[in-house]
Structures are given as C-alpha cells and as structure tokens.
C-alpha cells in the first residue's frame, strides 16, 4: 500500500486501472478489495476490469467504491494517464499493440529474459513505461512487492498435499482455516516424510516451516551458515525441499 505521504501527493490525479490477467491459470489479484477501499478513501480513482478468473468477485470492488470496465479493455478505454496494474505478462504476439500507458506488473524484462526485447520495444513505440514490481522500492530501499511469509506457507502446504496425494485439481481459492485443517488431517506421528527448508530464517522460509509444522512435520532448517558449503547427500536425503 502507498504511504500516507504518497497518498497526499498523488490522490488528486492518480487513476489506477486493474486489468484482467491474460494468463489462463492466474487467479490472484495485485489489489485486494480491502486495499482498494483504502485507496478510494484516500481520493484515488480505481477502475477494475471484469474477470471470470480473479479470486475476488467484482462486487467486492464495487462495494469498495471502484468503477468497473469490460474484460481486457485497458488498451482501448483506459485514459492515457492511468496506471495499468496487473501481476503477470501482457498478451503478446505479432499483433500485440504498442503500449502507451504506465504499466505496473512483473514484466520480467530487465534481465534479458525471453521476449524482453520485444516487450520493451512495444513500450518504446507507444511511449509508455514499465514500472516493474521487482524493482519498486520504498524510501529505505526495500522492495515493496516480494515473496513473503504466505508465499512460503502456501508453497510448502501444496508440496505436502501433493506428496500425500491429497492435492485436488484444479486449485480453487481457499482460506487459512481450511488449508490448515487439510494439512492437519494428514498428520501422522509415524509419517517418515522428511522436509528441508533452505533459507529458513527468511520471510518465505519462516512461512514454509510453519506450514510443515502444521502438517505434523518437523523440517530441517538451513540458512546462511548451513548453505555456505551445501552437503549434497544431506540435501538429497530429504523428501521435500
């Protein structure tokens, strides 16, 4: 979320347009209804595209005071000064249009990734800009969008459920109590499964460790001291990494 200072500076002119995600399997949203309500209360104009994939219903955003727009309409309907907010890649291909807006998402274009040259050329041609979430930082230089505790928690939970044959597909939205109950239901003191968390003291690592404990597993915890010279046999001796 923007700081109060940022809100005061930008709320008079800021228009945030959250687009529908082009990736068929992407259900996440970069802006929750609760945070959208906070932005609207601060005077920011928020437009949310309709989406049949997003985990949050459109009605939750309208209740927060957001305007709505048709699916994938940002290129034609978003004002030139709007910030187009997303998570993952934009539609690509030979007919993909030039990009005139300022886009906020994980562009994966500044490290020479596949397709980076073509994507950046679209911004150059259209006069837009890529504000890549991977490089956005706060006043102290810390990333404002990075994998954290819950990424580690959910990742480890999915690994455990898959290992136990209890991971149902397709994945559907759930909540913490339901996920914890599912993890605990398969816990067995006699379960020989071993798990290793590398970076156990970091944000993701702490979440992963907690999920494994919830599943009845006590993970091996490695951090900097244990990974300066990784013992490969010990690493491969674990069922879950």
């Amino acid at each position: 979320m923007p700081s109060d200072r940022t809100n005061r500076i930008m709320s008079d002119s800021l228009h945030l347009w959250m687009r529908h995600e082009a990736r068929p399997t992407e259900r996440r949203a970069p802006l929750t209804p609760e945070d959208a309500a906070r932005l609207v209360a601060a005077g920011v104009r928020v437009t949310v595209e309709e989406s049949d994939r997003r985990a949050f219903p459109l009605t939750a955003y309208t209740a927060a005071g957001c305007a709505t727009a048709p699916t994938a309409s940002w290129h034609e309907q978003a004002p030139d000064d709007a910030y187009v907010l997303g998570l993952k890649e934009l539609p690509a291909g030979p007919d993909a249009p030039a990009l005139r807006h300022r886009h906020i998402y994980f562009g994966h274009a500044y490290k020479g990734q596949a397709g980076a040259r073509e994507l950046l050329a679209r911004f150059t041609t259209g006069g837009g800009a890529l504000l890549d979430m991977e490089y956005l930082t706060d006043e102290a230089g810390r990333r404002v969008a990075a994998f954290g505790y819950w990424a580690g928690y959910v990742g480890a939970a999915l690994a455990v459920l898959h290992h136990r044959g209890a991971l149902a597909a397709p994945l559907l939205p759930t909540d913490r109590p339901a996920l914890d109950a599912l993890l605990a239901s398969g816990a067995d003191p006699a379960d020989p499964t071993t798990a290793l968390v590398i970076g156990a003291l970091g944000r993701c690592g702490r979440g992963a460790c907690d999920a494994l404990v919830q599943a009845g597993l006590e993970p091996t915890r490695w951090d900097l001291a244990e990974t300066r010279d990784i013992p490969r046999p010990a690493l491969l001796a674990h069922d879950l990494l």
Side-chain angles (χ1 to χ4, degrees):
M1 277 295 298
S3 65
D4 291 340
R5 176 176 176 272
T6 302
N7 281 340
R8 290 195 300 270
I9 293 172
M10 302 186 69
S11 61
D12 289 342
S13 59
L14 179 61
H15 183 182
L16 199 63
W17 185 292
M18 186 166 71
R19 60 178 170 84
H20 163 79
E21 292 292 329
R23 181 180 291 196
T25 58
E26 185 57 79
R27 298 181 61 87
R28 297 173 298 172
L31 182 66
T32 66
E34 291 81 4
D35 283 343
R38 293 168 63 186
L39 287 173
V40 171
V44 177
R45 182 182 176 190
V46 180
T47 299
V48 177
E49 288 188 355
E50 299 172 354
S51 176
D52 59 358
R53 300 173 188 154
R54 192 181 298 124
F56 301 104
L58 190 65
T59 52
Y61 290 99
T62 57
C66 301
T68 63
T71 300
S73 61
W74 57 266
H75 184 261
E76 299 295 335
Q77 296 189 19
D80 288 348
D81 62 352
Y83 288 82
V84 179
L85 176 65
L87 272 179
K88 304 302 288 185
E89 66 272 9
L90 295 168
D95 298 325
L99 300 169
R100 71 181 190 278
H101 297 98
R102 290 165 291 186
H103 284 259
I104 306 172
Y105 73 109
F106 287 104
H108 303 301
Y110 294 142
K111 296 179 181 177
Q113 294 97 324
R117 183 181 297 273
E118 292 79 7
L119 174 64
L120 295 177
R122 292 170 63 191
F123 280 106
T124 300
T125 301
L130 169 59
L131 304 177
D132 197 309
M133 286 189 183
E134 187 176 355
Y135 296 91
L136 298 182
T137 59
D138 62 14
E139 293 87 347
R142 295 184 296 261
R143 285 181 59 181
V144 298
F147 286 118
Y149 177 91
W150 292 112
Y153 195 99
V154 173
L158 293 177
V160 170
L161 295 175
H162 178 72
H163 184 71
R164 291 175 174 171
L167 186 61
L171 295 178
L172 298 174
T174 188
D175 56 24
R176 171 75 182 277
L179 181 59
D180 282 356
L182 190 58
L183 290 173
S185 68
D188 181 352
D191 186 352
T193 300
T194 56
L196 168 64
V197 177
I198 298 177
L201 299 181
R203 292 173 300 191
C204 288
R206 291 195 300 271
C209 289
D210 286 352
L212 291 166
V213 170
Q214 176 65 26
L217 304 174
E218 182 52 49
T220 301
R221 304 170 192 242
W222 287 2
D223 208 77
L224 291 177
E226 294 82 6
T227 54
R228 288 192 176 94
D229 184 15
I230 296 179
R232 184 178 177 84
L235 185 150
L236 296 178
H238 293 82
D239 301 304
L240 301 175
L241 300 178

